[in-house]
Structures are given as structure tokens and as C-alpha cells.
Amino acid sequence: MTHHIVQLSYVLAAILFIFSLYWMNDPKTARRGVFAGIFAMFLAVVSTWIQPGIIHHDWILVAIVLGFVVGIPLAMVPLTAVPQRTALSHAFGGLAAGLVGAAKYYLWSGEGSEQLTTFRMTAIVAEVILGFLTLTGSLLAAGKLQEIKWIPQRPVTYPLQNVSNILLLLAAVGLGALLVMDPTGPWAKFAFPGIIVLAMIFGVLLIIPIGGADMPTVISILNSYAGLAAVAMGFVLDNKLLIVAGALDGSSGLILSIIMCRAMNRSFTNVLFGAFGQVTAAKADGEERVYKSETIEGAAQVLEQAELVVIIPGYGMAVAQAQNRVRELYDQLVKRGITVKFAIHPVAGRMPGHMNVLLADADIPYNDLVEMDEINSDMPQCDVALVIGANDVVNPAARYDKSTPIYGMPIINADKAKTVFAIKRSKNPGFAGIDNELYFQDNTFMLFGDAKAVVGDLAKQLSGGSGMH
Amino acid sequence: MMQKRKSGKVAGRAARALAGLGLALIVSVGGSLARADVTSEDEPQAISESGASMEESVPALTPEAPSLPEVTTNVASSTAQATNEHDAHAPVDYWSLLLVLVLATFIGIGVIGRVSRLLHTPLMSLTNAISAIAVVGSIVVTGADYPLEIRMFGAVALFASMTNIVSGFLITDRMLRMFKQKRGGAKQ
């Protein structure tokens, strides 16, 4: 009887998980999706727990309580830290899969070699490799995102990097293949931990050459791995609900990775093995080029005359904590009947969709957040493009200059606007380490300074300034 | 409109990549089965079975109307099949597991391809929480009558999954609550 209750609740949970993701297609129904997911999870946990085979309850309770104790603060992090939190939860997902795989291996090998069939052993090896490489890779990614001091932010490269990485992975897979053929041989007790160690090293080496601008893609790929690890766990435990949920997670990571790669005009292999961001400082040739700068008052006057203002935010805006000032500026402009839109590049921010969340947090209605593809056709009608903390995603060199690393990357056509204001802290180039052609255009004026201060001054000028002139 | 078409294209590309991956998986698992010499007469049939349903599921995902109910029942019926992981000698039904994986992946691509781009960050934390369904495996390993060391592995895995569930759902909801339409404006 319990068996049927468990299976029925698993079926319901699978259906609810699918609807949960389906409802994410619109912000209006999205919260329903969360509730469906919570309900499904509750069903699955309770029905698993009441099975007659579960006889020790103390540790289950303790682990669940600890999960709440750690999980609740993790859900309260500031929104700029959401990418780190996400990477950390990929790590937890990988850890869970890896540990369950190891537990099953030791359990079955203790019960005799006939338990470790070829199929089970293959699945366990896949689960353990995916789980532990996701664990260390995600921890490292989280460390990079958190900007922990002893973790290098810039890509770390060394000779024969890709070759040695692939050899390492092959070694882990080779050990796995040996174990599949002879799961309880005399050397198996070394081979199994060996696989775990190799997978953990591989996870670190896989992420260490990736830096800066590629973090959104990396997070998506790790998401995919975490899902695949859950799928492998489903194969080990012969549990179809796990396979369904893991496959949903894995395909989500895959789609997001493809979107991120396309938004940077790069391939998977290029992201994983290309070591982006360490590119040539050599291009800095001698010729001094001149920026034109503009005062706050002047910029405010131009903004006042505009009909359509497009604000192009980048991660620099979030670093400067300027979101709320941006909203004040938005309010001032909207009050004057000016149309204000935000142009969101897919890789703005540090994970897919990050910029939308940061702006939504500042109370900017999502109707005014417009994707790159949609806004680009409107850019020639745009009176003022205001670039805040974005750099490479508005660099027109991506369209024509084959020598830049960002060549071919789709960009927001800020340069087509009648006037461009770019707020920039200093004259340093962006992530890709290259000059931005946009800044030297005839219609571009720089507003140097901290984004928060500059935008705040602009908003103040607009609110008070109208009476003074 | 534009966005729908674009995400459709991404989904299509992903589906093609996956069809290839799925085939490779079937071939490789088939190969390892042949080596293990288990249920060799079932094999050709099983291959043609999963191959056919893969072909069916592709057109089901491409049209505008998400034909969710049919696809879910598919998964539902195969999930409903009795499984008992404690029974060592009942052979695991690899093929139905693989079929579930292939179908669920296609559903995933179809559904995720439609998710609003505004919500990609909450989407990731939501799928994170959902894949923490690994909690069911951890509960079994922690609570069953297994040796102590093995149950310790399970307890740590259970803690990790539970953390993902709690923080994943909470932060997703927290982010989704922030997405508002125009203030004061008429709701469309």
C-alpha cells in the first residue's frame, strides 16, 4: 500500500514540477510556479519518509533542521550576491549526488559483487564524477564571484592546460571503466576514492582558466552539470522522479548556456577552453584619443528635451549600488512625460537575467525592461542613450573590428542614438581590456565619476533645476 | 513576438543537440548491455521503442500550443511503474529509465524555451530547488537499516539537498515578488 502511495505522490510531484517551470513563462503566473514546486517537494519528502524501510529518524530530522538553519540565511543575501548563492547551491547539489553515489557504492560492494552490476556501476561512476566536479567547480566559481582574495579573478593559464585537463578527466573515466569491469577487485578500494579526487581536481582546473565576463555562461554550464548529476543519481537509485527533475534542471542549464554563448558570439568549447579575458594588453598603442566630457547641468538639460531615453545598465551600476538613484532619475524623467526604457543585454550582470532582478528590486516596472533585440530597432529614434556601468556590450567595434576579442558579439546599438551619455568611473577599459569606440564618437559625451553620485546628481538637477532656469 | 521566435530557435537547436546526445547514450548503454550479456533479446525492441518516442516528442514540442497534458501523462505512466531499489535481484529496467530521461529532457527544453527572459535568474534558482529532489535518495540512505558510515554520507547529502530546497524556493519567491508592472498604471 505504501508503495502505491509513494509512487502516486512521485507522479504528482513530476507533474507539478513541470507546471512549476511552465508558469515561469510570465511574471504574472511565476509565483504560482514556486508554490507548485514547494507542494511537490513536500509530497515527495513526506511520502519517502513514511516508507517502512526508513527506520532511523533522528539523523533525518537533524539534517532537515540544519538545512533550514543554513538555507534561510542563504535566501536573504543581497541581490548582487545571488550569482554566488546560485553557484554555491550548484555545489551543494553536486555534493549530495556525489555522496549518495559513494554511499551506494560502499553499501553494494559490502553486500557482494553481484550487487554492482555493470549498469549500476556505470551509473555510480557517472554520478560520482559529475557530482564531485560540480562541487569543486562551483565552489571555485562562487569564490571568484564573491571576490575572495586568495582566489584569482583573472583567468589562470599555463602551458598544455587543455591537454592536461583532458588527460585528467580521461584518467578518472579510465579508472571508472576499470571499476565497472571489476567492481570489487583488490585495488577497487583505491580506485574509487581515486575517481573522486581526480573529479575534484578536474572541477577546479576546469573553472580556473575562466574569468570575468564568462561567469554567466559558467554558472549556466555548472547548472547543467548539477542536473546531470541528479539524473545519474536517478539511474543509480532506479528513481524516475529524480531523473525527471534532474533532466529539467539539466535542460534549463543547457538552454541558458546556449543563450549566453550566443549573446557573446562564442561556442561552448571556446568558453571552456578559450581563457577569455587574458587578452592582449598589447593593443594599447601610443595614440592619445580625446574624450569629450559633459557637466551634470548640461546633461540634465539635454535629458529634459528628450522624448525617448534609453538607459543601458551594466554590472558597474550594481557595483556602485546606483540602482535606487537610477530609479529616482527614471521617476523624474517619467514625470515629464519622457518615455524611458532600459536596454538589457543578455550578459549584463553576472548570471542570466541578473540585471532584470537588480532593476526590479529598485522598483522599476518590468514593462520598461527591454531586451537587446527589441530595443535595437528603436535606437535610431532614441534621443538620449545613457550608459551606466556598461562597456563591452555597447562597443561598436564588435561590429567591424576583427582584431578585438569581442568581434561578432551582438551589442546594444547605443551609438545609433542622437546623443550618448556614458557614465564611467575612470578611463580604464572594461573586462575585455579594450578601448570602447563608443566613447570617441562625435555624439558621445562622458560623465566621469562614481555612477551612484552622477546619477543622483542628475536626478537632483532634474527635480530642482526646472524652477531655477 | 520576437522573443518567442528566438527562444523557439534556441529550443530547436538544443533539441537537435540533445537528439544526437540521446542517440549516443542509447548506443553506448546498448553497447555496455551487450557486453554484460543481459536480456539480449529485448534489446532491438527497446531501441526501436525509445527511438520512436523520441521522434514523437519532437513535433509535440515545436507548435505554439504547449501540449503539456499529453506529454506529462507519458512520464506519469512510466514513473508509475513499480520500482523497488531494495530488491537486488529484480533487474533494473534501464530502458524505461532512459526513456524517462529523454522525454523529460524534451519537455524541459520545450518548457524552458518559453520562460520569460526577465525571469532567467529566478528560473535558475527554481530549477536548483527542484533538482534538490535528490533529497528523496538522501532520505533513503540516511534512514534505512544501513551501516553507520553509509548513513553519515546520507545525512550530509540530505543536509545539502535540504539547504538547496529551502534557500532555492525562498529566494525564487523573494525575487519574483519584486517584479511589478507599471505603478499606478492600468493593469493590462
Side-chain angles (χ1 to χ4, degrees):
Chain A
M1 188 55 201
T2 350
H3 173 78
H4 294 291
I5 295 174
V6 172
Q7 294 302 325
L8 181 65
S9 64
Y10 283 6
V11 172
L12 286 175
I15 295 171
L16 283 171
F17 282 153
I18 291 166
F19 272 105
S20 167
L21 295 177
Y22 176 69
W23 280 322
M24 292 291 279
N25 66 2
D26 191 319
K28 283 183 227 128
T29 55
R31 285 190 71 197
R32 203 187 300 164
V34 178
F35 299 132
I38 293 174
F39 183 58
M41 195 60 77
F42 182 74
L43 266 182
V45 167
V46 169
S47 65
T48 308
W49 202 346
I50 59 166
Q51 285 179 109
I54 310 295
I55 52 169
H56 303 286
H57 298 284
D58 40 356
W59 287 10
I60 296 182
L61 263 177
V62 171
I64 288 181
V65 169
L66 280 179
F68 273 91
V69 169
V70 177
I72 291 174
L74 264 184
M76 299 298 151
V77 296
L79 290 162
T80 40
V82 165
Q84 293 89 300
R85 191 217 70 92
T86 307
L88 207 57
S89 65
H90 294 331
F92 278 146
L95 176 69
L99 282 177
V100 169
K104 278 296 186 184
Y105 170 76
Y106 288 114
L107 179 72
W108 281 328
S109 68
E111 290 177 3
S113 61
E114 75 281 354
Q115 288 277 14
L116 286 167
T117 57
T118 306
F119 173 80
R120 277 181 173 172
M121 200 60 229
T122 312
I124 288 178
V125 168
E127 182 184 353
V128 166
I129 292 181
L130 280 167
F132 282 105
L133 85 81
T134 308
L135 168 67
T136 52
S138 303
L139 281 180
L140 184 62
K144 282 193 175 200
L145 286 164
Q146 183 66 37
E147 299 178 6
I148 292 175
K149 279 202 187 69
W150 46 270
I151 294 176
Q153 301 297 306
R154 290 269 159 187
V156 175
T157 52
Y158 46 87
L160 293 179
Q161 191 162 28
N162 294 335
V163 179
S164 56
N165 282 3
I166 287 167
L167 283 180
L168 195 73
L169 182 64
L170 282 181
V173 172
L175 271 182
L178 283 175
L179 267 180
V180 170
M181 283 189 278
D182 183 7
T184 49
W187 39 268
K189 64 170 177 288
F190 304 110
F192 192 76
I195 293 177
I196 294 178
V197 171
L198 286 176
M200 288 172 89
I201 299 175
F202 180 73
V204 172
L205 295 183
L206 189 68
I207 303 303
I208 216 160
I210 307 177
D214 273 333
M215 283 333 270
T217 323
V218 169
I219 289 202
S220 312
I221 292 176
L222 288 169
N223 183 15
S224 204
Y225 288 164
L228 285 177
V231 168
M233 184 170 173
F235 276 88
V236 171
L237 300 177
D238 191 15
N239 183 324
K240 292 178 181 112
L241 179 58
L242 261 175
I243 297 181
V244 171
L248 294 175
D249 193 26
S251 47
S252 163
L254 180 74
I255 288 190
L256 294 178
S257 316
I258 291 175
I259 292 174
M260 291 300 108
C261 283
R262 191 174 289 178
M264 301 184 68
N265 188 40
R266 318 198 34 222
S267 67
F268 264 159
T269 35
N270 195 327
V271 171
L272 284 176
F273 303 115
F276 192 66
Q278 46 134 29
V279 205
T280 57
K283 252 211 91 197
D285 41 12
E287 79 184 270
E288 276 292 316
R289 301 212 284 172
V290 209
Y291 297 104
K292 289 186 297 301
S293 59
E294 177 59 278
T295 58
I296 300 288
E297 291 77 17
Q301 268 177 3
V302 177
L303 280 169
E304 258 178 327
Q305 306 300 320
E307 275 171 36
L308 172 62
V309 173
V310 173
I311 299 179
I312 303 159
Y315 193 66
M317 179 198 74
V319 172
Q321 307 262 308
Q323 296 93 303
N324 288 317
R325 297 296 150 81
V326 170
R327 201 213 47 236
E328 284 165 23
L329 178 64
Y330 168 88
D331 287 343
Q332 286 300 331
L333 292 170
V334 168
K335 215 162 73 182
R336 279 153 215 261
I338 302 168
T339 310
V340 184
K341 296 285 176 195
F342 288 83
I344 313 287
H345 194 278
V347 296
R350 294 196 153 185
M351 68 183 289
H354 195 189
M355 193 51 70
N356 297 308
V357 172
L358 293 171
L359 290 171
D361 183 36
D363 244 354
I364 288 161
Y366 65 78
N367 323 50
D368 288 333
L369 309 179
V370 188
E371 268 177 55
M372 171 175 69
D373 297 331
E374 273 171 67
I375 200 83
N376 268 347
S377 52
D378 293 337
M379 285 315 286
Q381 282 86 53
C382 165
D383 299 299
V384 179
L386 180 60
V387 181
I388 307 176
N391 191 353
D392 295 334
V393 297
V394 290
N395 190 344
R399 282 201 293 263
Y400 53 79
D401 186 354
K402 288 190 178 159
S403 66
T404 70
I406 58 165
Y407 174 69
M409 177 172 126
I411 57 160
I412 295 170
N413 295 333
D415 56 320
K416 303 253 167 85
K418 289 171 193 140
T419 309
V420 180
F421 289 125
I423 301 176
K424 210 166 171 326
R425 172 182 285 278
S426 68
K427 300 189 181 186
N428 292 334
F431 254 143
I434 40 178
D435 267 345
N436 194 336
E437 296 293 327
L438 178 70
Y439 300 157
F440 305 105
Q441 280 192 160
D442 291 339
N443 57 344
T444 303
F445 300 92
M446 306 301 291
L447 302 169
F448 283 111
D450 173 64
K452 189 177 182 178
V454 171
V455 177
D457 289 347
L458 273 176
K460 217 174 286 163
Q461 188 71 27
L462 283 169
S463 64
S466 51
M468 280 150 65
H469 291 289
Chain B
M1 201 51 217
M2 185 99 176
Q3 175 191 354
K4 277 269 142 67
R5 257 181 34 225
K6 190 113 199 222
S7 55
K9 253 166 46 195
V10 172
R13 198 176 162 199
R16 276 202 304 282
L18 261 145
L21 193 77
L23 274 176
L25 253 173
I26 290 172
V27 171
S28 63
V29 175
S32 70
L33 262 186
R35 219 177 42 219
D37 223 18
V38 197
T39 58
S40 49
E41 75 265 29
D42 283 344
E43 219 182 310
Q45 192 201 339
I47 286 184
S48 66
E49 224 177 78
S50 44
S53 35
M54 264 174 56
E55 280 163 27
E56 279 163 27
S57 68
V58 177
L61 289 168
T62 29
E64 291 78 46
S67 45
L68 267 176
E70 293 127 64
V71 197
T72 37
T73 26
N74 245 341
V75 177
S77 64
S78 44
T79 322
Q81 280 175 16
T83 54
N84 185 351
E85 57 134 343
H86 295 294
D87 190 353
H89 298 288
V92 178
D93 185 5
Y94 326 102
W95 293 113
S96 71
L97 294 183
L98 198 60
L99 184 61
V100 171
L101 170 60
V102 171
L103 289 177
T105 308
F106 278 112
I107 294 173
I109 288 173
V111 173
I112 308 258
R114 289 187 176 78
V115 170
S116 162
R117 286 206 180 189
L118 286 168
L119 301 182
H120 276 169
T121 298
L123 168 72
M124 206 184 261
S125 54
L126 182 65
T127 54
N128 231 307
I130 287 178
S131 78
I133 188 69
V135 73
V136 299
S138 321
I139 288 180
V140 172
V141 175
T142 316
D145 190 14
Y146 293 156
L148 187 70
E149 313 84 72
I150 285 169
R151 290 179 45 223
M152 271 160 60
F153 278 24
V156 177
L158 178 54
F159 157 73
S161 309
M162 207 60 214
T163 308
N164 272 1
I165 293 173
V166 173
S167 73
F169 282 128
L170 277 179
I171 203 165
T172 308
D173 194 53
R174 182 177 150 217
M175 288 191 279
L176 290 177
R177 263 182 295 158
M178 300 178 328
F179 280 89
K180 297 186 197 84
Q181 284 179 300
K182 272 212 167 63
R183 284 162 294 165
K187 287 208 168 174
Q188 300 148 348

